[in-house]
Amino acid sequence: MAKKFVLYFSLFIFVAGLWAIDDAGITQNSKSDSGNVLLERLIGMFQTMAATGSGGRDKVNSELEATMAETKKAFSENKIDPYFFRHFHRILLVIKLTIVEDQQGILGPLIEREAEEFASDMMGAQKGRETSSIGVLAEALQEGILNLQLYLDTKDQRQKLMEEWEKKFDPMKKKPIK
């Protein structure tokens, strides 16, 4: 499990580094939106640990706990919506399960099931296709974080897009078939 953690940790840091750099190679600016702050906190946590060489199970666990406390507070203050809360919470859950020390394998089936389900949901992976491997899980986490970032970036446009979609497919506004 320790080897998996080190490998996972390394892959996640690598993925996080790629995600946090824009096309010009400059780190993205922090936005005032609570969802963006939470995403940046999660990525920043791993970037800091990678840059300083600090970290480990206890450090990651305490940072995840603090991030979840901040997430719950933002949700209770209506600074993040239920969609963001649920999906961000799931990302934190998968990371936490990955670092759980389970020498006797009691939680093994639960951890594997959650990792496989998460990877399947994020990447469309088929069951039985090594969806619980550390590399696939790191990709799925990257996809989950990217999906949340895209959700936040397009949140203001959603209502307009929905109205356009409704106009396009509204049966009352369709031309009669000849």
Side-chain angles (χ1 to χ4, degrees):
M1 188 71 166
K3 287 181 183 179
K4 279 187 176 182
F5 173 72
V6 170
L7 179 61
Y8 162 74
F9 187 69
S10 300
L11 285 170
F12 192 77
I13 290 170
F14 175 73
V15 168
L18 292 176
W19 179 74
I21 298 175
D22 65 15
D23 292 338
I26 302 169
T27 303
Q28 294 176 356
N29 292 331
S30 176
K31 298 175 184 171
S32 61
D33 180 63
S34 292
N36 284 306
V37 170
L38 289 167
L39 286 173
E40 288 180 15
R41 177 184 175 136
L42 181 64
I43 297 301
M45 171 181 71
F46 286 104
Q47 287 176 329
T48 301
M49 287 180 201
T52 62
S54 65
R57 192 174 312 234
D58 293 337
K59 176 75 172 165
V60 173
N61 189 45
S62 66
E63 288 291 330
L64 287 175
E65 292 291 333
T67 302
M68 191 60 212
E70 190 176 325
T71 304
K72 285 181 177 180
K73 181 180 178 194
F75 182 65
S76 69
E77 294 174 354
N78 292 320
K79 292 181 178 178
I80 57 173
D81 61 17
Y83 179 91
F84 183 89
F85 177 80
R86 181 174 175 357
H87 290 276
F88 190 70
H89 177 268
R90 189 170 185 207
I91 288 170
L92 296 179
L93 170 77
V94 170
I95 295 170
K96 179 111 176 177
L97 284 174
T98 304
I99 66 167
V100 167
E101 190 169 346
D102 185 30
Q103 295 175 353
Q104 302 304 318
I106 295 169
L107 296 174
L110 170 70
I111 294 168
E112 287 178 25
R113 184 177 65 237
E114 282 299 318
E116 185 175 293
E117 236 177 81
F118 183 76
S120 292
D121 289 349
M122 291 298 110
M123 301 173 50
Q126 300 285 323
K127 285 191 174 192
R129 190 196 141 244
E130 293 295 323
T131 53
S132 60
S133 75
I134 242 28
V136 172
L137 186 57
E139 285 183 57
L141 285 166
Q142 176 189 13
E143 187 74 22
I145 292 169
L146 180 62
N147 286 344
L148 280 177
Q149 186 65 59
L150 290 170
Y151 170 75
L152 292 174
D153 290 349
T154 61
K155 195 173 175 183
D156 294 338
Q157 301 164 346
R158 289 184 177 284
Q159 185 61 36
K160 181 182 171 192
L161 291 171
M162 184 57 84
E163 289 169 5
E164 289 174 7
W165 187 78
E166 287 174 351
K167 287 178 188 175
K168 187 175 183 179
F169 294 105
D170 187 356
M172 300 301 289
K173 295 181 181 179
K174 284 186 177 178
K175 294 179 182 176
I177 300 174
K178 294 180 182 179

